[in-house]
Amino acid sequence: MLNEAPSSVDALLEPALLDMIDERFKENPKGFSNAIIRECFADFAELREHRHERLPQDTVVLRSFANPFSSFGKLALQTAKALQALSVPVKIVPIDTPDSSIADILVYRPDDEWELLLGHPQLEPTAGKHTIYFTMWEGTRLPNECVEKVNRSTACIVPSEFCAMSFNASGVNVPIYVVPLGVDEKVYYCPGQSPSIPTFGCGGAHHPRKALQTVVDVFRKAFVRGEEVKLKVKMWGNDPPLDTANDPRIEVCRDFLSDEGMAEWYSSLTCFVSAARCEGFGLMPLEAMFCGVPVMAANAHGQAEYMRGQFHHLRYAMKKSQPQSPDNPYRDSQWYYVDEVAMAGAMQAVAESPLPQNVYHGTHFTVEAYASRLLETLRT
């Protein structure tokens, strides 16, 4: 009988349980029955009971997406690994289907009173817990519903001064701490080689905010067909297609790449171009910098946290984010639109005389520094 299964409604919402039921159905769709559902409940109850534990007092309980296929998921895995390297015990409460590599640190019902909620500010704090948000927003104005949720937390951590100012201006009244993100310098480093022809790169989700189409369009205006130059675009696998006008010089990669694969991708570039209209931090330009690749971007919004004078700063103008529709969560925000004519000229100049490789030197934006600052902030 189904009443032998866990009775709480939230069990029905556990992604691991839903995935388990889905897999059993795929295995035998014609023979699927209540008996199989009961087996799933029983198996899941055993798993959840195993994960229900009282944690050591110094454990960091991280509630987040827990797979490498999203920006926050990748950050959560990196955060857990970096804190563990500092001998800090970490447990992850997964919001979605977790990556199998972290099975040993998953926990579904931690008894700890605190949680570090790493994700977008639309996520709900857990009732009855002290929540510290680790979040960001890619605009100058946080939606009211997000402000209300963040203000129910104990404190808020953001990765840039830009985010701190935006949150404060939007009405967030809990303490805000800035902890810049970091890059693993053991993976992202300069191999000391340059591409044989000028090769530009851009990447991210195909979203108006990231403006990948803008980079494609500017590239095609800057270089007529036949010129020996290339543009490489790294997108998500489920993104809608870009309009490349079948230009054979534009190479689009939709494959999932590990950190090592991404480092190799960056190292194949002459210059990384970001036309992003707003970033809470923006890891891709920083990762490119660690690989010795010159960066062309606006010295604004979250990118300003790490942009330096030796990189090419694009002019920009602030305008309301588009589209101005009710389903655009950034509709009340200003975005930073780069000057496309100036970008085309800068790309032509780089193709004519490539910038020298310029590896980011210093420790401020390494993953070790990020983990140390995060731990210090949590202890505060």
Side-chain angles (χ1 to χ4, degrees), residues 88-348:
V88 177
V90 179
K91 291 290 185 180
I92 294 182
V93 181
I95 293 174
D96 60 351
T97 304
D99 189 69
S100 59
S101 65
I102 60 167
D104 59 326
I105 62 171
L106 294 179
V107 60
Y108 286 93
R109 290 177 172 269
D111 293 325
D112 197 84
E113 295 179 356
W114 291 82
E115 69 171 0
L116 179 62
L117 178 54
L118 198 162
H120 48 72
Q122 291 100 328
L123 295 175
E124 287 278 355
T126 300
K129 289 188 181 292
H130 296 289
T131 295
I132 299 175
Y133 265 99
F134 193 162
T135 188
M136 64 189 79
W137 190 249
E138 300 84 5
T140 55
R141 183 66 59 178
L142 197 63
N144 291 336
E145 59 269 24
C146 295
V147 173
E148 186 273 329
K149 289 174 183 176
V150 175
N151 281 340
R152 284 194 271 129
S153 68
T154 301
C156 178
I157 300 173
V158 294
S160 64
E161 292 291 344
F162 167 77
C163 281
M165 290 187 291
S166 296
F167 278 49
N168 184 63
S170 300
V172 171
N173 55 30
V174 298
I176 300 173
Y177 300 88
V178 176
V179 177
L181 305 183
V183 174
D184 188 346
E185 59 185 339
K186 298 182 182 65
V187 175
Y188 294 91
Y189 62 90
C190 179
Q193 60 190 31
S194 300
S196 57
I197 65 171
T199 304
F200 298 90
C202 63
H206 186 11
H207 182 278
R209 181 178 63 80
K210 290 288 189 178
L212 298 184
Q213 188 65 56
T214 296
V215 179
V216 169
D217 293 344
V218 170
F219 172 85
R220 294 186 57 247
K221 291 176 183 175
F223 306 106
V224 298
R225 279 182 182 262
E227 286 194 66
E228 200 172 21
V229 65
K230 184 185 290 187
L231 173 65
K232 302 177 77 171
V233 185
K234 178 67 185 78
M235 302 170 63
W236 293 103
N238 59 352
D239 279 339
L242 285 164
D243 179 10
T244 64
N246 296 318
D247 191 327
R249 302 169 302 170
I250 301 175
E251 176 184 308
V252 177
C253 175
R254 292 174 170 274
D255 297 336
F256 169 76
L257 298 180
S258 63
D259 282 329
E260 290 76 11
M262 282 302 304
E264 184 177 345
W265 183 86
Y266 287 123
S267 299
S268 70
L269 306 179
T270 304
C271 180
F272 182 85
V273 182
S274 171
R277 291 161 182 169
C278 201
E279 295 281 12
F281 185 80
L283 265 175
M284 292 193 77
L286 185 60
E287 290 171 343
M289 289 159 59
F290 269 74
C291 292
V293 178
V295 170
M296 186 183 300
N299 185 19
H301 44 87
Q303 293 174 165
E305 198 72 22
Y306 52 80
M307 290 292 288
R308 296 291 183 269
Q310 65 266 38
F311 298 99
H312 195 105
H313 296 164
L314 295 173
R315 296 196 302 267
Y316 59 86
M318 293 185 68
K319 297 185 289 186
K320 278 280 190 180
S321 71
Q322 299 296 326
Q324 279 292 299
S325 60
D327 57 347
N328 175 16
Y330 303 105
R331 61 187 177 276
D332 295 325
S333 285
Q334 296 276 322
W335 274 352
Y336 301 73
Y337 290 75
V338 298
D339 185 323
E340 296 180 18
V341 174
M343 182 195 294
M347 294 174 78
Q348 291 167 341

